[in-house]
Amino acid sequence: MADDSKATENHSITSDNNLSLESGNEVSIDSLARQVQESLSLAKKHKFWETQPVGQFKDLGDTSLAEGPIEPPTPLSEVKQEPYNLPSPYEWTTCDLDSEDMCNEVYVLLTNNYVEDDENMFRFNYSKEFLRWALHPPGYYKSWHIGVRVKTSKKLVAFITGVPAKIRARDTVVVMAEINFLCVHKKLRSKRLAPVMIKEVTRRVHLENIWQAAYTAGVVLPTPISTCQYWHRSLNPKKLIDVGFSRLGPRMTMSRTIKLYKLPDQTVTPGFRKMEPHDVPAVTRLLRNYLKQFAVAPDFDENDVEHWLLPKEDVVDSYLVESPETHEITDFCSFYTLPSSILGNQNYSTLKAAYSYYNVSTKTPWIQLMNDALIVAKQKDFDVFNALDVMHNETFLKELKFGPGDGKLHYYLYNYRLKHVLRSSELGLVLL
């Protein structure tokens, strides 16, 4: 595979613990537990997480434990009413992203301090439009967008967020918080701010009578419900090689590599077009029907589909296939825009990456549908198209010349136990 991508993105640009998947991607519980135990040197024991209602490594494989909430809800009157104490130089602030100044502060903090790859070559660069989209879904709580300021200078130095989501775990739909954008200024990483921030966002979630959460991380914590692999499809191979995202394959020249990844100029599927507002009901039906087959997936209604999937310039793109004969909506594909800053390169400052979001194939073969998605991403000047091996994505990754990255993404549920670690193909959930 010519595209041996070094950097892989989203919450981990690379993972610090590659869990091997055994016997055709079946995760052996014993081997997972063993690898996890080995990876936790005594110095790295998760003191914080061992106090939290999350699956613990010691319980892996214990099928006597029931699925569902680990701890029952507390009466709301017993939820702590005041914020947790921060170290004395710092104070809490609630971040109103409708305010241009505040949105700018959050953008600057994340742009300079959020996730980087292990070699410090790339760093996420979420746009302000993206942040507003990600943090303002239907029913969002402003109080869940939490910042930490320095009292004296008022400088914003840390951030964490939650948004409400309905997530189905097997047959049960649970209102959860999706926790994201945990970011502490590089100079304050030793101050132990992160555990206080996690406790504070948890407290604010509890105040809304919500007791479960979902989150992802590039590192192994107690205990992943699933571990997914990032795959990358070069759209602009020369640039990717020039900036060190990819390497030239053995016995490959640049011109052969460019030829290898060349895509047609136009999409091929009859009736393939951009999603429009009037498509929301049909897309909702299609997506709900598709997501039924996965063990963990969002429970989207029309308001959610309108928010998350209606195209938004430079944020999210969605396309569907409308049968030219019956006008039925049969297939759907979508991707969101998450550029990375390229650090220390004279010629390029931004890597424009598309991330596969929700895709449904009922009539158009997967490979044809997703090749059309690659073609429109290329038309829009994306450099790379990234996808996790969740849902049915494995059916097209190799065929469409995606290469495995070196990043893993671990999925977690807070205060909710699943009996078995899920294969990535059993997961129907994509978190931003």
Side-chain angles (χ1 to χ4, degrees):
M1 192 66 228
D3 180 38
D4 176 21
S5 305
K6 293 185 170 167
T8 149
E9 310 253 13
N10 199 343
H11 302 243
S12 76
I13 293 192
T14 53
S15 157
D16 78 348
N17 182 22
N18 291 336
L19 298 173
S20 61
L21 300 186
E22 304 190 347
S23 61
N25 204 19
E26 280 281 4
V27 181
S28 144
I29 296 281
D30 296 340
S31 112
L32 181 61
R34 195 171 58 248
Q35 289 179 63
V36 163
Q37 294 295 0
E38 286 164 6
S39 75
L40 297 177
S41 59
L42 286 169
K44 271 178 74 181
K45 275 278 190 250
H46 296 97
K47 287 192 180 62
F48 171 71
W49 289 106
E50 284 171 9
T51 67
Q52 301 298 303
V54 294
Q56 298 296 338
F57 294 129
K58 63 182 172 48
D59 298 332
L60 272 174
D62 181 349
T63 49
S64 68
L65 297 167
E67 290 210 339
I70 295 169
E71 288 180 353
T74 310
L76 282 183
S77 59
E78 291 175 25
V79 176
K80 187 172 154 60
Q81 298 297 306
E82 316 73 45
Y84 282 89
N85 290 330
L86 281 165
S88 58
Y90 307 105
E91 61 188 15
W92 297 112
T93 185
T94 298
C95 297
D96 175 6
L97 295 184
D98 285 327
S99 147
E100 191 55 40
D101 288 349
M102 176 58 91
C103 196
N104 205 48
E105 282 186 278
V106 169
Y107 169 76
V108 168
L109 175 71
L110 292 174
T111 300
N112 293 326
N113 299 280
Y114 202 42
V115 181
E116 289 181 19
D117 68 302
D118 282 355
E119 277 122 34
N120 310 111
M121 294 166 68
F122 307 96
R123 188 189 307 124
F124 281 155
N125 187 351
Y126 288 94
S127 69
K128 286 186 266 191
E129 297 74 33
F130 188 103
L131 292 170
R132 287 198 178 108
W133 171 71
L135 295 174
H136 288 173
Y140 76 92
Y141 299 97
K142 211 173 274 184
S143 60
W144 293 8
H145 304 159
I146 305 170
V148 174
R149 292 190 186 283
V150 178
K151 282 180 186 168
T152 50
S153 65
K154 299 298 180 207
K155 182 179 165 71
L156 187 71
V157 291
F159 187 59
I160 190 169
T161 68
V163 295
K166 296 183 296 296
I167 294 177
R168 180 181 52 72
R170 309 235 196 252
D171 299 325
T172 310
V173 175
V174 184
V175 179
M176 298 194 188
E178 290 179 357
I179 305 299
N180 203 347
F181 301 113
L182 170 55
C183 177
V184 177
H185 194 286
K186 287 179 171 178
K187 291 187 174 153
L188 303 177
R189 298 275 161 93
S190 61
K191 302 282 187 231
R192 300 292 296 157
L193 287 174
V196 191
M197 294 167 69
I198 293 167
K199 287 202 290 200
E200 179 60 19
V201 76
T202 304
R203 184 188 74 82
R204 296 190 192 193
V205 168
H206 287 167
L207 284 173
E208 304 299 342
N209 204 16
I210 294 172
W211 303 91
Q212 275 72 37
Y215 50 102
T216 56
V219 292
V220 177
L221 306 165
T223 298
I225 60 159
S226 189
T227 291
C228 307
Q229 166 93 47
Y230 265 109
W231 290 68
H232 308 284
R233 195 336 176 148
S234 294
L235 300 175
N236 185 350
K238 183 179 186 311
K239 177 174 170 181
L240 294 178
I241 290 166
D242 287 349
V243 302
F245 185 90
S246 313
R247 288 182 285 272
L248 206 51
R251 300 179 297 286
M252 284 294 278
T253 61
M254 186 65 86
S255 60
R256 276 180 66 196
T257 303
I258 290 168
K259 195 171 162 195
L260 174 69
Y261 291 115
K262 188 162 172 39
L263 287 159
D265 292 332
Q266 299 299 326
T267 58
V268 301
T269 307
F272 185 90
R273 63 170 176 82
K274 192 171 170 173
M275 179 186 177
E276 294 171 18
H278 68 263
D279 298 314
V280 166
V283 168
T284 306
R285 285 193 298 275
L286 191 68
L287 193 58
R288 285 183 66 86
N289 201 36
Y290 175 68
L291 291 174
K292 278 179 192 161
Q293 62 195 297
F294 303 107
V296 173
D299 183 60
F300 281 147
D301 61 22
E302 290 185 11
N303 291 335
D304 300 316
V305 167
E306 182 178 338
H307 177 81
W308 292 119
L309 295 170
L310 254 189
K312 230 182 191 52
E313 192 63 35
D314 294 328
V315 173
V316 62
D317 285 278
S318 298
Y319 293 85
L320 48 78
V321 179
E322 178 182 352
S323 159
E325 293 81 40
T326 65
H327 296 291
E328 185 194 355
I329 308 297
T330 56
D331 310 273
F332 178 80
C333 57
S334 60
F335 50 89
Y336 59 87
T337 302
L338 175 45
S340 279
S341 305
I342 302 169
L343 310 176
N345 185 289
Q346 262 77 58
N347 303 320
Y348 299 103
S349 59
T350 303
L351 186 75
K352 191 174 175 187
Y355 282 79
S356 173
Y357 200 23
Y358 289 95
N359 311 302
V360 184
S361 150
T362 68
K363 294 279 193 293
T364 308
W366 275 112
I367 287 166
Q368 182 179 320
L369 177 71
M370 295 310 295
N371 203 53
D372 279 348
L374 293 175
I375 291 165
V376 292
K378 175 69 182 164
Q379 287 170 348
K380 288 174 165 275
D381 286 324
F382 283 91
D383 299 314
V384 64
F385 194 105
N386 298 326
L388 287 164
D389 56 358
V390 295
M391 297 182 263
H392 287 122
N393 291 0
E394 277 187 311
T395 55
F396 60 78
L397 292 169
K398 285 185 178 151
E399 189 78 25
L400 292 180
K401 302 176 186 163
F402 283 76
D406 57 6
K408 296 281 202 291
L409 189 64
H410 309 286
Y411 276 74
Y412 300 92
L413 293 179
Y414 180 89
N415 195 21
Y416 203 90
R417 180 185 288 113
L418 294 180
K419 277 195 177 181
H420 305 289
V421 176
L422 302 178
R423 293 191 300 276
S424 48
S425 57
E426 295 177 279
L427 201 56
L429 178 66
V430 179
L431 298 181
L432 303 174

